Amino acid sequence: VIFASMIQGEADTTTNMAKVSRVLHNRLAPGSGFTKLQLCSTRDYVNHLPQDAGFDVEALKQVYNTYYREGLPIGAINNPGLDALTAALNPSNDATIKQCYYFATDYKTGITYFSKTYAEHQAVIKKYGITDIG
């Protein structure tokens, strides 16, 4: 459910849920070289909490924000639907996505771009002016 909640928070369409799932599976795979998922959805989950609600936001960053935390957050960040749950269990086998470790969504056009390397990811962000990143 935790994994699916991140897919729900990150994927812009049902079609992209399996692709996002593949990227997350790739990052969590042993030997991938990634220790942190670095997802905007987990960062935003903490950052959108009311500052005056009595929460220790810094402590929550350590357990939810995947820019700080290695692996999965300690709990779900939303209520994932059936499509996200299915995608969590069935990541994409699309040959163009199987080796990807990054994705970025251009919310102006609704297109999600998947990249194999950080250099490719940075080029996509620059080319399309995507600014909502860590």
Side-chain angles (χ1 to χ4, degrees), residues 53-67:
F55 296 110
D56 182 346
V57 174
E58 289 306 311
L60 288 174
K61 283 181 182 179
Q62 300 304 316
V63 295
Y64 277 100
N65 187 333
T66 57
Y67 280 93

Side-chain angles (χ1 to χ4, degrees), residues 10-13 15-24 26 92 94 96-105 111-117 120-121 124:
E10 290 288 337
D12 59 326
T13 66
T15 302
N16 279 337
M17 285 183 178
K19 294 176 181 179
V20 167
S21 178
R22 169 54 61 199
V23 170
L24 300 183
N26 289 350
S92 175
D94 181 325
T96 61
I97 306 299
K98 279 192 97 154
Q99 301 301 316
C100 291
Y101 291 91
Y102 301 91
F103 64 90
T105 300
I111 299 171
T112 299
Y113 301 93
F114 295 87
S115 306
K116 293 179 182 180
T117 68
E120 289 174 4
H121 179 65
V124 164

Side-chain angles (χ1 to χ4, degrees), residues 26-35 101:
N26 289 350
R27 283 180 155 245
L28 290 173
S32 72
F34 293 92
T35 60
Y101 291 91

Side-chain angles (χ1 to χ4, degrees), residues 14-87:
T14 300
T15 302
N16 279 337
M17 285 183 178
K19 294 176 181 179
V20 167
S21 178
R22 169 54 61 199
V23 170
L24 300 183
H25 277 276
N26 289 350
R27 283 180 155 245
L28 290 173
S32 72
F34 293 92
T35 60
K36 297 177 182 171
L37 291 172
Q38 298 178 313
L39 300 175
C40 294
S41 61
T42 64
R43 177 203 62 207
D44 294 346
Y45 177 73
V46 174
N47 289 345
H48 290 148
L49 292 172
Q51 296 296 314
D52 60 351
F55 296 110
D56 182 346
V57 174
E58 289 306 311
L60 288 174
K61 283 181 182 179
Q62 300 304 316
V63 295
Y64 277 100
N65 187 333
T66 57
Y67 280 93
Y68 291 88
R69 177 182 181 76
E70 293 184 3
L72 300 177
I74 64 164
I77 59 167
N78 58 46
N79 187 17
L82 181 59
D83 291 329
L85 291 163
T86 300

